[in-house]
Structure formats: C-alpha cells, structure tokens
Amino acid sequence: MVSMTQARQKLMAGELDDVLLQLCCDEERLTVYRTRLLEMLDAFARQFGADREIAILSAPGRTELGGNHTDHQRGHVLAASVNLDILAVVAKRDDRTIQVQSEGYPLDVISLDELDPIPESQEAHAAELIRGVVARFGQLGCPLPTGFDAYTTSEVLKGSGLSSSAAFEVLIGQICNALYADDQFDAITLAEIGQYAENTYYHKPCGLMDQMASAVGGVVAIDFSDAAKPAVESIGFDFSKTGFALCIVDTGGSHADLTAEYAAIPAEMRQVAAHFGKETLSEITEGMVIDSIGELRASCGDRAVLRALHFFHEDLRAQSEADALRRGDFDSYLQLVRYSGESSICLLQNVFASSSPMHQPASIALAVGGMVLGRRGAIRIHGGGFGGTIQAYVPTVLLMPFCEEMEQVLGKGCCHALQIRQVGAMTVLI
C-alpha cells in the first residue's frame, strides 16, 4: 500500500493515466476521472485521517446485452461492464471494525464480530451487503483479521439499471481480496460472493449475471448450466466501431416496493419446471411445455406459461447474439435485440408493474424511442425491468435527437451514452 502523498503525486504526474484510461474508456474524460480520484483522497483524509497507507480500487456497472431473466434459470446471458464505476480509497484498521463512507449516504459501521444476517422482516441497507461479503470470505476460509476504512464515490447511480448494488458488492469483495487474501479469489468467485451477499443478507433473489459482468469485465457470454461453475467467455467485439451509440435511458420509475414483482419471475418459471419434477427451466424443453400447456395453465397460470416460453426463446437468443458478435455481424445482432425487446413486453411482461398498471414510464420510453429510431436501431427493456431503464442502440447521426426527445418526455439528464469497459473489478493502486 502507498501513502496518500505518494498516491497524490502519482495521479498528478500522470503515472496512472494508462490504468485510468482503461476505466473511463475516453481520453476526454481522463482529466475528470483523475480529478475525481484526487478529490476522493481529500474526502478520505477529512473522514478518516490523512496519515494512512491506502489502496484505490474500482468496480464497474454493467449492462445486460442479452438474456433478459435467463440467468436464474441456469441459462445463457450476454453482458458487459461499462465505463461508469464505483471507486474506493481504502486503508486498513488495527481493530475489528469496518467503516464505509459512500458519498451522499450515512456512514456504515460493521463489526467483524457481528456478521449474522438480519431477519427478512427487517429492512436491509448497504451495511448488510458489506456484512454479507465479509461473512462469505470467512466461510471460504479467509476471515478478515482486522477491519478497514473506505471512502467510495459512484457514477453507477442507484436505480440506473446498471446494477449499482452488484458493483458495490464486487467492490467490497475486491477490497477484501486485495487487502487480506493476496488476490487468491478469481473474478467468478468474487461475483458469487456478491450474489451470496445480496441473496442472503439483502434478501433479494437476484441471479448472478450482474455481479459476473462487473467482476469479469468486457463483453462476456455466460453459461449458467453448471451452477457450481458457470462458463464465462470473453467476446472481443468493439462496439465503438459500429456507428451506433449504446444508450441507457432512466425512465424515472422507482424500484421501491418492487421486490415481489422481481421475485415473481423466477418463482413462476420454477413453478413450471416443478411441474416436470425439475428445479429450473433449463432442465426441460419448450416442447414439454407446449405438450402440457393445458395442465400448466390450470396449475401455474397463464403468465407463468408465457414467462417460461420467453425463457426458451431468450436463452437461444443470447447464444445467437454472442455468435453474431463473434462473426462481427452487427446487423443480425441488432435484429436479435429487437426480438428480445418484443419478447420481454409480450411474454416476460416485465415492462411495468402489474400492481400499478396506470404508471408505465418504461412503456412510454419504449414507444417514443421506437418512433425516433424506426428500424434504424434497436430498443428494449433493460435488466430487471418494471419501469427502471431501457436500452437503445442509436445510430450516431440520431444520437442528439434521440436524447433530446427522451429528455423532453422523461426529464433532463435521463439519457446516457455508454462505452464498454474492457476490464472488470480491479485494484488501481496498492
């Protein structure tokens, strides 16, 4: 680890610019990114003291490219890390306390001697994610001997659809791995640790795609058929050369009180699989569902059947999308993205909350965005859905009018043009 003075000198001298450019992916943003880190050093010093040996770490947000709600059924997904991240300045402590100050939020304080999860009846906060990650390290044979102080800032805005919670979990895992485990845990294990924390400590039944994309980095095709050892393949495709901008549009929909909506998707899919004595849909076929559709409609309901049908087609689509990128066939990729969006609307039904049908910001965004694009790009619901964000591939010549139209409908600053970051969670300086 280095002193804060050394870290500041390296940043100001440009010695870390090659690494920082990998993270922000844009030379025009490099100065802003460097300034952000310098300001973090000042904020850490004010919060925790200036005379500390520190490390700097980063974990990116992610975007789902294909495989909408297929990961939790042990299917296939296509995802990528993006150039918006969570950064941390960290120093070890001498006692058994962890303190994490996330910019704009209350200080989280955790004791290494109190790592049990809270009951599901209690409201979970970020502290539970920290506690869950640290507890999992101990379960894997690497208990933390002492705590740490961390100051974090995030460009992965909460509720942005870029999975800020997964990035935060992976970042805490990267801190533990780098400072206390000699980096013995690989990216896949860090992703699994993050999922464990979210499932067990945050009580959210998420899949593994978000954490995996953040931890591994770049464009990744993931096969979850072996739950114990997902197969991860990096896809070396350069989106910046396509003539399209990858946009994420925040529709302004709140994620509050939507856990039941999210949880219903894997629950209903598993209900269909259970009809055949299986745990997940990846263990059965579409033909089996079609042959038993009358019984399934009676026992599981129509929505569950439709969601199961979405899985089979979306699972194949995610694989075909990866194949298209391997071939460099972006036109075929875009057509598959369009089909994915249609399936999420008609079969998966995760564009708006069934509990609030009069409030459909994502549907409005898809409608207006689709009118601007026509067939010149592609547009779909992004990630978990239910009014969060949409994803659009926008020809660069249409980027300005597309963003202007989105902001007119949804508010200033809702449209974000992203770049794919080729590296996942990493230690910037130690």
Side-chain angles (χ1 to χ4, degrees), residues 242-425:
T242 63
F244 285 78
L246 174 60
C247 293
I248 294 295
V249 180
D250 183 355
T251 69
S254 172
H255 287 192
D257 301 321
L258 290 178
T259 298
E261 296 275 3
Y262 293 122
I265 294 178
E268 290 177 12
M269 288 182 175
R270 288 193 170 97
Q271 189 179 6
V272 172
H275 179 86
F276 302 96
K278 302 297 182 180
E279 182 180 349
T280 63
L281 291 177
S282 62
E283 301 170 85
I284 63 175
T285 65
E286 181 184 12
M288 294 167 66
V289 171
I290 296 298
D291 289 343
S292 303
I293 197 165
E295 299 172 29
L296 288 168
R297 291 182 66 192
S299 62
C300 303
D302 287 351
R303 190 174 70 171
V305 173
L306 291 169
R307 285 175 164 172
L309 294 175
H310 164 84
F311 166 80
F312 296 117
H313 291 269
E314 185 73 356
D315 187 54
L316 291 173
R317 253 191 306 272
Q319 297 173 67
S320 297
E321 287 170 342
D323 287 339
L325 294 183
R326 291 187 192 99
R327 300 192 309 268
D329 186 354
F330 194 64
D331 287 341
S332 294
Y333 172 80
L334 284 181
Q335 184 58 59
L336 290 163
V337 172
R338 296 184 194 108
Y339 290 148
S340 174
E342 293 167 1
S343 182
S344 290
I345 293 170
C346 299
L347 301 180
L348 186 60
Q349 301 178 42
N350 70 328
V351 176
F352 65 91
S354 60
S355 58
S356 183
M358 299 302 291
H359 187 62
Q360 299 191 32
S363 302
I364 293 292
L366 290 170
V368 174
M371 292 174 189
V372 176
L373 293 177
R375 302 300 289 182
R376 290 171 289 182
I379 193 165
R380 65 193 280 268
I381 194 71
H382 180 249
F386 301 112
T389 57
I390 64 167
Q391 179 189 74
Y393 294 84
V394 182
T396 52
V397 295
L398 288 178
L399 181 58
M400 185 174 293
F402 178 84
C403 289
E404 287 176 350
E405 194 68 28
M406 289 292 98
E407 291 186 347
Q408 182 178 340
V409 174
L410 299 168
K412 198 74 174 175
C414 69
C415 189
H416 308 276
L418 306 178
Q419 290 179 280
I420 303 301
R421 167 172 149 169
Q422 297 302 319
V423 294

